[in-house]
């Protein structure tokens, strides 16, 4: 299987970004908290944005409904997934 590296600085693959997105990370900053991708040279941030797309984001939906407290309480810690082999 071919690995497609999104962030060469930290060896983060597109699969890892998609797994974190499926677990609830819906912004490049949330992906960075979980993987460090985008925190060094920054050249991968636009690719991460492209992978995340403009799909449904539970946090964004809560904010649009005016429920900021629920967003803050929803996930105080970054999501950590098992490293892809």
């Amino acid at each position: 299987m071919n690995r497609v590296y999104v962030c060469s600085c930290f060896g983060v693959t597109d699969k890892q970004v998609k797994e974190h997105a499926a677990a609830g990370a819906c912004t490049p900053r949330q992906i960075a908290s979980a993987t460090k991708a985008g925190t060094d040279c920054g050249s991968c941030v636009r690719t991460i944005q492209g992978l995340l797309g403009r799909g449904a984001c539970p946090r964004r939906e809560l904010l649009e409904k005016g429920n900021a407290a629920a967003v803050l309480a929803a996930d105080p810690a970054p999501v950590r997934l098992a490293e892809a082999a």
Side-chain angles (χ1 to χ4, degrees):
M1 179 176 169
N2 293 333
R3 291 185 188 167
V4 177
Y5 286 95
V6 172
C7 175
S8 57
C9 295
F10 294 103
V12 179
T13 64
D14 63 335
K15 179 180 176 185
Q16 290 172 298
V17 172
K18 290 174 185 177
E19 287 173 349
H20 285 289
C26 46
T27 66
R29 185 170 290 181
Q30 290 167 339
I31 297 295
S33 291
T35 66
K36 295 186 180 180
T39 62
D40 194 24
C41 77
S43 66
C44 61
V45 174
R46 288 187 186 246
T47 303
I48 293 168
Q49 288 172 329
L51 288 170
L52 295 175
R54 295 194 178 260
C57 177
R59 289 180 185 91
R60 188 178 307 121
E61 291 170 6
L62 287 171
L63 280 173
E64 288 172 356
K65 292 179 183 177
N67 198 347
V71 173
L72 294 173
D75 189 21
V79 176
R80 297 284 181 198
L81 299 176
E83 293 296 319

